[in-house]
Structure formats: structure tokens, C-alpha cells
Amino acid sequence: MSVGSPLVFRPSFAQRAMAMLLFAGSWLVGVRALAQILERLPVLRASLRVAEAAGDPTWSFWVAVVAAFGAVLMGSLLLLGTLLGVLLVEGSHVLVDDLGLSVEHNALPASLARRLGAGRLLWKQISRIERSGPFFVLRGGGDPGATLRKDPNLRFLLVDELERLVLTILERSPNLKHED
């Protein structure tokens, strides 16, 4: 069997640009929200001191401070999520050759990339193709004769020519199970 050159499926320029715009937008919104919170913190602190001096309850001021810090925390998590999304879109590609396919996440450290779905499956190992959250998932376990190790589950976010990739997987995977 001769092994031809592999097909490489990567996100298109438009898909990569959209991921960068989402990241840049969340960065700008997060920085602006943090600036507004820091700008209003002295006013809130002064109002808290005035309320304490007058003997009024101060729980509403503390709720506002906790809510402000909660918003900063949520903004930080959103920023980290969009950064991970950019790295997954920008550094990922799916290689298809005569033996199987592999998903690579080059922009991530190796252990994180494996956890997020990088790896290789032979055509006979692919048991299912499905959508799970934002990911397209290729599940291993299609080869009943191979019980030495568990087959990985491959995940990727976006690729250009997704229809062509799915048709190639359906065409070449003999153990792919179809669910209605």
C-alpha cells in the first residue's frame, strides 16, 4: 500500500479572524469594565464611610463590592475561555492520510492538547462521529480486535471544508456506527 500525501484541514481565514475578533472584543470589554470598577471604587468606599458614620446599614455597599469583584472574576474567565478558543482555532489542524486521521493542537502544551482531543485514530478504530458542545468529536473503539489500550477521542473546533472531511470519514471508516 502506498501512502499518499495527507490532506490537511485547517480553519479558514474567516474562521480564524472571527476567533481573533471575539478574543479582542472580550479583552476590550474586560479592560473597560475593570477600569469602570476601579474608577467607582473610591466613590463606593466614601459612601461606605458616610453610611457607617450615620449608623445606616452597609450591607448593600458590601453587596456592590462583592458583585464588582465577581464581575471581574467572570470577565477573567471569559477572557481565558476566548484565549483558549483562539489557540484551539489558530493552532489546530486535522491530517487525513491513507491509514487514518490525526488531530493536532500545535498552539497548546502537549498534555493540554491531548486532554482537549489531540491524537491519532486509524480508520478502523473510528466508531462514531458526533457534535459535543462546540467540538466535533471522533470516538475511538471501532476496532473490536484491539483491546490493548483505549482508543482516544479526537476533538476539533472548526475546519474549512467540514463537509468534505465528514464525507471522507464516513467513506473510509469501516466500523463507524450510524445512529438515527
Side-chain angles (χ1 to χ4, degrees), residues 148-180:
L148 296 177
R149 64 177 177 85
K150 183 181 175 198
D151 293 331
N153 292 328
L154 306 182
R155 291 180 185 87
F156 58 93
L157 272 176
L158 298 170
V159 293
D160 196 23
E161 299 184 35
L162 180 65
E163 299 85 13
R164 182 177 173 198
L165 176 61
V166 169
L167 287 175
T168 303
I169 293 168
L170 291 173
E171 180 181 287
R172 293 186 180 183
S173 301
N175 297 322
L176 191 65
K177 296 175 185 117
H178 299 282
E179 296 179 10
D180 293 329

Side-chain angles (χ1 to χ4, degrees), residues 58-121:
T58 60
W59 64 270
S60 62
F61 294 108
W62 288 111
V63 168
V65 169
V66 169
F69 284 113
V72 169
L73 180 65
M74 290 303 293
S76 300
L77 292 176
L78 175 66
L79 184 61
L80 286 175
T82 57
L83 175 63
L84 182 63
V86 164
L87 292 176
L88 278 172
V89 169
E90 194 62 37
S92 297
H93 56 275
V94 179
L95 296 170
V96 176
D97 59 19
D98 291 338
L99 301 174
L101 78 155
S102 64
V103 175
E104 297 178 3
H105 303 302
N106 294 329
L108 298 172
S111 61
L112 183 59
R114 277 191 302 276
R115 186 172 283 163
L116 290 174
R120 179 158 179 82
L121 283 173

